[in-house]
Amino acid sequence: MESPTISIGELNLQDTELRLGLPGSDEPEKRCNVGSKRKCSPEEESTGNRSDAKSDHNQSDNNGPPAKAQVVGWPPVRSFRRNSVQQKKEEEGGRYVKVSMAGAAYLRKIDLKVYKSYPQVLKALENMFKCTFGEYSEREGYNGSEYVPTYEDKEGDWMLVGDVPWDMFTCSCKRLRIIKASEAKGLGCL
Amino acid sequence: MRVNQVEVPRDENGSSILDLARADIAESSTKTRNCAACPGSGSGSMEFQSPYPDQVLENVLENVLHFLTARRDRNAASLVCKSWYRAEALTRSELFIGNCYAVSPRRATSRFTRVRSVAIKGKPRFADFDLMPINWGALFSPWVAAMAKAYPWLEKVYLKRMTVTDEDLVLLSESFPCFKELVLVCCDGFGTSGLAAVAGRCRQLRVLDLVESEVDDDDVEWLSYFPESQTHLESLVFDCLQFAVNFDALEKLVARSPSLKKLRLNGSVTTPQLYRLITQAPQLTHLGTGSFGALEAVAAGDQEPDYASAFAACKSLVCLSGFREIFPDYLPAIYPVCTSLTSLNFSYANINAEHLKSVICLCHKLQTLWVLDSICDEGLQAVAATCKDLRELRVFPENPNEDVEGPVSEVGLQAISEGCNKLQSILYFCQRMTNAAVVAMSKNCPDLVVFRLCIIGRYRPDAVTGEPMDEGFGAIVMNCKKLTRLAVSGLLTDRAFSYIGKYGKLVRTLSVAFAGDTDMGLKYVLEGCHNLQKLEIRDSPFGNEALHSGLHHYYNMRFVWMSSCKLTRHACQEVARALPHLVVEVIRSQGERNDDSVEILYMYRSLDGPRSDAPQFVTIMQ
């Protein structure tokens, strides 16, 4: 027999919670796979968190009332099917953004949420596209590099990565594009 | 090979060299060998002394059995007597394992020694919806290890819901010189390194299909690993890959694959790239278009390729899918192929009714249609008006949340039932439904084999009458005499299950969620559905007494899944003790529990007892 241990997850708060449903029906609002290697869309992450603001995320685009916390695995739609259709909406919120590079045949995608600062995301881009960016300065942009990271913001303007405070960048960035330094003249702040 | 009449040694299976020799004759007389690398076990070198009468019989038998392809027939033949059992085992070339834990690899490969094609299924379907903790099992490793030794001439592997590692794929690529087809459906555990091994080493490869599988990006350009010469590729499916592929390598591969018929691209392939591919491969019959979106980088004034002409040149195209980031203005490009299409998958395309109509009005031959509910009831009405030959329809939710207004409803279902009388299979997600529409479908579509209705809001009653959805589902089981698969939803009482038990005599797969009142519901099903093989239930108030009522039937089933019901460990243990060949797994998804309640019960028959690879959170009752 296992020795009984009670973890936080076991305090049965479900009993005191008000919800719809027939009496006796157990609605498991919990994650079944702790440490799932599957990348979670914010929608999946909200599962099981009762007062999680993220569960409102889907509704905020629809201007509807916030959705109640979702039940695991319901409705029975496979996760990749949710992800691909939902991801388009997420992109407007600025999390997953496409990254293209002048001359590269295919697009990549990065999750801005993963990074905490400009140096981090720039490093990631450098690794991804095997290029280097120079030193960034407010006045002169990226000095001395062949390539320069730019992004399109919510207003449709193309800006130099680094021009605005980090938080503003992650909210407003719609997509990234790495262009040749020669094309960068005349962008944004210069 | 000289064969002695006396002292014929027999191996552990009771087979002798004579048996094997005869099996070779039987094999080579009907099987063609496509594989240049495989030496034929040529019958020409076989010599016999005058055979004993029973040897003649066995010889004849094997030749005859060769024509039996259906599993059920082969299983029946194998039960006639020992001689037939042996002959059948020697001549079975396609092995199907419906539950990877029902039999051990050793037992399977010992009995069936001349297998060319293997299909193995692992996790139960509810694992797709995150109801099964990860690392539960269903590993391909022990199977590939056993097959590497037992089946050197293996040509095909089909896996569903298995965990496959890169090492497994490497071993596969190294062990089977004749390997031709790899199909992985809903699998995980591997990445581009494993794919590179298969691409690089399986020189006879015809089919590489990755369907709804989770593939890791190991930064290996797997497409570059295919041999430089012309390939034998007939099917290349990778639309589930969530990362970019090397387009240059892909383009060159397509150019040197003259037999390619099926090509399903993932979303990283842009529309101009698609254009380049299909102009080089107009012989395609099945195409997954990839993104089908508009590239942001296209500057104003750039000339876009003539997509419509490219599609028009694909005169053999019958199946279209993809449209992962669809730019609706591009839809006219596919008009030229619509009239020949038998299968269309728009389930990733959030197009509206107008967009759909423009396409569907041309699709007179359509038999299979998958769509998003963004097309609304209006779109479904258009489908009903044109697609008179429709056999399969799936309507997926664009927004899979409860408490939202859904764009499709009973109106769409009713329309489909009226327009598409040949319908055999339907999967329909909606937010509201009525009994009347479901009853209508039961009467208008008598050929229904699969009926899966998912009313997303749990416990939703009939949207018009407020009644439970019992009568609708009752009508389905009553009127659809060919029904073998059923998934129910909405507000359902025990009555619905009494209908299913009473009329659902052919039902093999039943899926239940958030339904029923008491144990009687499950009892009706277990006592009435004599052909039930797969039962998956979640969040329903069925308990120990109901579980007990199925003891007479569990050995006839592939599996039973019950999660978040009202079962106790004690009751599960009783089942395990009553049925020693049933493996009864009690699975916890979180933390430790010291109470008697059962979160997940997963039980299945097995010839080889409890598995040895069960993780910590699985308790096998004994």
Side-chain angles (χ1 to χ4, degrees), chain A residues 10 26 28 38 70 78 105, chain B residues 128 212 214 273 401 539 592:
Chain A
E10 284 215 69
D26 196 32
R38 205 172 263 148
Q70 292 185 316
R78 292 196 185 115
Chain B
D128 292 351
E212 298 186 2
E214 243 187 85
Q273 288 173 340
N401 297 311
D539 294 277
E592 302 239 339

Side-chain angles (χ1 to χ4, degrees), chain A residues 4 10 24-28 30 32 38 44 62 70-76 78 80-81 84 105-106 175, chain B residues 128-130 161 212 214 244 273 296 347-348 398-401 456 458-459 538-539 564 566 592 594 599:
Chain A
E10 284 215 69
S25 67
D26 196 32
E27 297 171 30
K30 58 185 182 287
C32 274
R38 205 172 263 148
E44 280 188 47
N62 300 338
Q70 292 185 316
V71 174
V72 174
W74 188 262
R78 292 196 185 115
F80 66 87
R81 199 173 269 289
S84 20
Y106 47 94
R175 64 181 131 249
Chain B
D128 292 351
F129 314 122
D130 297 331
R161 293 196 191 96
E212 298 186 2
E214 243 187 85
Q273 288 173 340
E296 304 86 344
S347 65
Y348 290 94
E398 186 184 2
N399 183 352
N401 297 311
I456 297 175
R458 294 164 285 154
Y459 312 110
R538 64 166 294 182
D539 294 277
S564 304
K566 292 180 134 358
E592 302 239 339
N594 56 351
E599 230 184 289

Side-chain angles (χ1 to χ4, degrees), chain B residues 360 363-364 366-367 369 379-393 412-426 440-448:
Chain B
I360 214 76
C363 299
H364 299 279
L366 209 61
Q367 294 185 11
L369 176 65
L380 291 172
Q381 285 163 333
V383 172
T386 320
C387 306
K388 296 304 176 188
D389 218 19
L390 200 68
R391 310 293 162 105
E392 178 179 326
L393 175 68
L413 192 75
Q414 178 94 26
I416 292 289
S417 79
E418 286 165 8
C420 307
N421 303 120
K422 296 189 192 169
L423 201 64
Q424 292 170 3
S425 171
I426 183 164
M441 177 154 275
S442 78
K443 293 184 175 157
N444 295 337
C445 304
D447 291 339
L448 273 179

Side-chain angles (χ1 to χ4, degrees), chain A:
Chain A
M1 291 288 273
E2 310 126 350
S3 55
T5 53
I6 300 184
S7 61
I8 298 291
E10 284 215 69
L11 294 170
N12 202 343
L13 299 170
Q14 287 177 2
D15 282 347
T16 55
E17 195 200 30
L18 292 176
R19 68 167 92 92
L20 294 176
L22 295 180
S25 67
D26 196 32
E27 297 171 30
E29 291 178 25
K30 58 185 182 287
R31 301 268 325 155
C32 274
N33 41 356
V34 178
S36 166
K37 65 179 171 146
R38 205 172 263 148
K39 193 174 277 197
C40 294
S41 66
E43 183 190 321
E44 280 188 47
E45 282 172 35
S46 72
T47 308
N49 294 327
R50 288 172 209 94
S51 54
D52 188 358
K54 284 187 215 157
S55 67
D56 297 344
H57 186 264
N58 287 318
Q59 293 305 321
S60 60
D61 289 341
N62 300 338
N63 294 323
K68 63 184 181 209
Q70 292 185 316
V71 174
V72 174
W74 188 262
V77 175
R78 292 196 185 115
S79 56
F80 66 87
R81 199 173 269 289
R82 289 172 185 262
N83 285 348
S84 20
V85 177
Q86 288 295 328
Q87 245 169 25
K88 265 177 279 198
K89 305 196 173 162
E90 283 160 34
E91 275 161 17
E92 283 150 35
R95 287 180 202 214
Y96 283 93
V97 294
K98 289 185 196 161
V99 189
S100 61
M101 176 156 150
Y106 47 94
L107 300 176
R108 303 295 294 267
K109 263 189 185 171
I110 61 170
D111 177 5
L112 288 182
K113 210 168 35 73
V114 165
Y115 307 101
K116 304 281 177 265
S117 67
Y118 278 123
Q120 282 185 11
V121 73
L122 291 174
K123 189 101 194 101
L125 290 174
E126 284 178 327
N127 285 340
M128 199 180 273
F129 289 97
K130 314 277 189 286
C131 61
T132 45
F133 312 127
E135 279 294 307
Y136 174 80
S137 71
E138 265 196 52
R139 189 171 306 165
E140 293 175 350
Y142 286 88
N143 212 357
S145 60
E146 204 191 333
Y147 290 100
V148 155
T150 66
Y151 72 99
E152 185 184 3
D153 69 9
K154 279 187 167 156
E155 275 93 57
D157 298 324
W158 284 93
M159 313 272 282
L160 210 54
V161 170
D163 280 349
V164 303
W166 172 253
D167 289 327
M168 191 187 295
F169 167 71
T170 53
C171 290
S172 61
C173 172
K174 267 175 63 180
R175 64 181 131 249
L176 285 157
R177 188 165 165 78
I178 300 175
I179 60 176
K180 291 207 170 250
S182 46
E183 295 170 28
K185 306 269 189 293
L187 257 192
C189 61
L190 298 176

